[in-house]
């Protein structure tokens, strides 16, 4: 294993962004950047041994700053996904968070994604990024530090560990927003790729704002049933209110697992490249987002991506859980560190 640092680019008004490239003994490599503690690329071999980048990224670092381009590869904090009406109450106090989309908060307002993180530590196979957010920044209580450690290994496994510490009781729901295409970024639709998710339930949404109703609904007999592996896009055009609200899949799955410990909860596979990706997590939820809102995006190498040319598997607590009595609230107690892990493991099947 080896690590190399290089300058990536200048961010308008924000400084220099660096990339840390971690390479394993077979030459497979990941590139992680100080902007948003993001994944810039994941280069793994296909069944012929040819290396390809299986996540979308941008050649121009400034493109990552545009929220309309979808938070590609970026870490999302403090609170992933939606907060209804951009507010929540905790112990009788109301907190107001940014209305950065419609009337709600999306991805914590974007602060953790669109800023440069400090590098705390590196080793041959890992890098630790750190971001500090002061008490009440963007309306969230607590002087709050998030460290994100990425580790890559010789078996092409990328592990992401999130460590959170706050000096006041607060909410924390970190995730990573990588867009995967197992035939390679910019290679066209990902919807033929096979997906299996260990989830018997999902959280339906009220309308096109994609805020959950609070119901935990069975996937039985719906296009949301991924318990048996199927091409991701097989049922995506079915007449179904939920799919039309999201313009495709943009929904949280209730994972069939215990909270404690890492478990494999999803597998994606491309029959074309032979690349398989297992998702292993200790989270209780996962958003499947079929890149429904990307339009004409120029990704690395100049290829242009459109909707459905990638998919996201964002491990998380359920969206809007801080306002939803039916969902587990991701609370962090003062001075008590909280950590969560997700692993993306690549192989050939
Ligand atoms: C959301 C989508 C959103 C995308 C990019 C996903 O997590 O669920 O609605 O368009 O992130 O911000």
């Amino acid at each position: 294993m080896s690590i190399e640092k290089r300058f990536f680019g200048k961010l308008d008004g924000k400084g220099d962004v660096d990339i840390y490239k971690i390479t394993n003994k077979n030459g497979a490599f990941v590139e992680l950047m100080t902007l948003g503690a993001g994944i810039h690329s994941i280069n793994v071999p296909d069944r012929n041994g040819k290396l390809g980048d299986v996540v979308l990224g941008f050649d121009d670092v400034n493109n990552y700053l545009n929220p309309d381009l979808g938070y590609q590869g970026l870490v999302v904090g403090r609170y992933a996904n939606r907060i209804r009406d951009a507010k929540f109450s905790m112990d009788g106090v109301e907190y107001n968070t940014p209305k950065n989309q419609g009337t709600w908060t999306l991805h914590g307002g974007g602060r953790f994604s669109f800023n440069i993180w400090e590098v705390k530590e590196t080793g041959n196979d890992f890098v630790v990024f750190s971001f500090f957010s002061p008490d009440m920044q963007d309306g969230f209580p607590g002087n709050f530090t998030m460290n994100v450690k990425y580790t890559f290994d010789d078996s092409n496994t990328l592990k992401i560990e999130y460590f959170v510490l706050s000096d006041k009781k607060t909410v924390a729901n970190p995730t990573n927003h990588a867009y995967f295409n197992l035939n390679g970024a910019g290679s066209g639709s990902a919807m033929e790729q096979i997906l299996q998710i260990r989830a018997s339930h999902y959280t339906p949404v009220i309308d096109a704002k994609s805020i959950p109703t609070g119901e935990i609904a069975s996937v039985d007999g719906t296009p949301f049933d991924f318990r048996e592996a199927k091409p991701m896009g097989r049922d995506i055009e079915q007449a179904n209110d939920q799919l039309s609200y999201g313009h495709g899949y943009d929904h949280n799955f209730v994972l069939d697992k215990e909270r404690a410990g890492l478990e494999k909860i999803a597998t994606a596979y491309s029959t074309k490249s032979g690349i398989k990706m297992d998702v292993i997590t200790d989270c209780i939820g996962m958003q499947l987002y079929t890149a429904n809102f990307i339009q004409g995006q120029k990704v690395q190498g100049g290829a242009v991506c459109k909707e459905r040319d990638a998919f996201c598997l964002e491990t998380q607590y359920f969206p809007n859980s801080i306002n939803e009595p039916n969902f587990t609230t991701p609370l962090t107690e003062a001075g008590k560190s909280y950590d969560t892990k997700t692993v993306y493991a690549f192989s050939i099947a």
Side-chain angles (χ1 to χ4, degrees):
M1 301 296 312
S2 67
I3 191 162
E4 240 173 86
K5 173 188 170 186
R6 74 163 192 277
F7 171 71
F8 180 21
K10 270 207 175 320
L11 263 192
D12 301 339
K14 295 195 175 179
D16 293 350
V17 176
D18 293 324
I19 281 182
Y20 287 80
K21 178 179 173 184
I22 305 176
T23 307
N24 71 17
K25 67 168 193 235
N26 308 311
F29 63 95
V30 295
E31 292 179 301
L32 308 160
M33 58 182 176
T34 52
L35 172 63
I39 300 174
H40 177 62
S41 74
I42 299 178
N43 296 268
V44 288
D46 66 11
R47 67 159 68 85
N48 301 314
K50 189 167 173 272
L51 279 191
D53 183 359
V54 294
V55 292
L56 308 195
F58 295 114
D59 287 330
D60 178 350
V61 69
N62 283 292
N63 284 344
Y64 282 105
L65 287 186
N66 180 351
D68 293 337
L69 297 187
Y71 294 71
Q72 283 188 20
L74 303 172
V75 162
V76 173
R78 301 183 185 190
Y79 196 94
N81 217 308
R82 287 151 179 83
I83 300 175
R84 189 184 60 221
D85 298 330
K87 63 179 183 201
F88 64 96
S89 293
M90 207 173 56
D91 300 334
V93 180
E94 185 178 290
Y95 298 95
N96 294 280
T97 52
K99 284 189 179 153
N100 63 324
Q101 213 185 57
T103 53
W104 61 99
T105 304
L106 180 69
H107 300 328
R111 167 98 42 199
F112 283 63
S113 308
F114 304 133
N115 280 294
I116 296 176
W117 291 47
E118 191 191 320
V119 174
K120 268 239 142 1
E121 206 187 332
T122 62
N124 285 343
D125 62 350
F126 75 89
V127 53
V128 182
F129 298 107
S130 184
F131 193 79
F132 173 72
S133 172
D135 188 25
M136 294 311 290
Q137 187 176 51
D138 302 323
F140 292 100
N143 287 302
F144 182 95
T145 303
M146 179 147 73
N147 289 349
V148 176
K149 178 176 185 181
Y150 288 97
T151 310
F152 190 52
D153 72 13
D154 282 329
S155 58
N156 300 338
T157 292
L158 180 65
K159 178 164 77 179
I160 315 177
E161 294 167 278
Y162 306 83
F163 303 91
V164 162
L165 187 62
S166 169
D167 65 353
K168 277 191 191 156
K169 184 174 169 187
T170 193
V171 292
N173 188 18
T175 193
N176 178 286
H177 211 308
Y179 287 67
F180 297 99
N181 183 322
L182 302 179
N183 293 331
S187 64
S189 173
M191 293 303 105
E192 290 297 310
Q193 292 168 32
I194 312 291
L195 180 64
Q196 182 170 29
I197 306 177
R198 263 181 57 203
S200 316
H201 295 86
Y202 77 112
T203 53
V205 297
I206 304 167
D207 56 21
K209 291 178 186 157
S210 293
I211 293 164
T213 59
E215 188 194 350
I216 308 262
S218 168
V219 297
D220 235 356
T222 76
F224 294 86
D225 194 347
F226 283 91
R227 289 172 297 181
E228 298 283 327
K230 66 179 180 186
M232 218 171 294
R234 191 188 75 186
D235 301 329
I236 205 169
E237 301 300 344
Q238 272 188 24
N240 175 286
D241 283 349
Q242 290 297 321
L243 288 174
S244 49
Y245 295 148
H247 298 279
Y249 294 103
D250 191 1
H251 293 79
N252 171 68
F253 286 76
V254 178
L255 302 173
D256 292 339
K257 69 187 289 291
E258 297 301 320
R259 174 66 184 88
L262 284 170
E263 285 180 41
K264 183 166 98 178
I265 47 82
T267 300
Y269 170 64
S270 164
T271 50
K272 200 168 158 197
S273 66
I275 298 176
K276 182 172 109 168
M277 178 177 80
D278 288 321
V279 184
I280 301 151
T281 190
D282 59 10
C283 289
I284 57 171
M286 183 179 74
Q287 185 92 355
L288 166 62
Y289 174 53
T290 42
N292 310 318
F293 300 109
I294 64 170
Q295 271 315 331
Q297 255 159 258
K298 230 183 183 178
V299 295
Q300 64 274 56
V304 175
C305 282
K306 53 176 191 342
E307 55 179 26
R308 316 256 163 93
D309 281 2
F311 61 94
C312 303
L313 297 172
E314 304 154 55
T315 53
Q316 58 178 6
Y317 279 89
F318 306 168
N320 190 43
S321 43
I322 43 177
N323 290 310
E324 183 47 67
N326 224 7
F327 297 168
T328 304
T329 304
L331 288 179
T332 304
E333 295 301 327
K336 213 173 149 219
S337 66
Y338 160 78
D339 66 280
T340 170
K341 291 183 193 53
T342 293
V343 173
Y344 296 107
F346 297 90
S347 58
I348 298 295

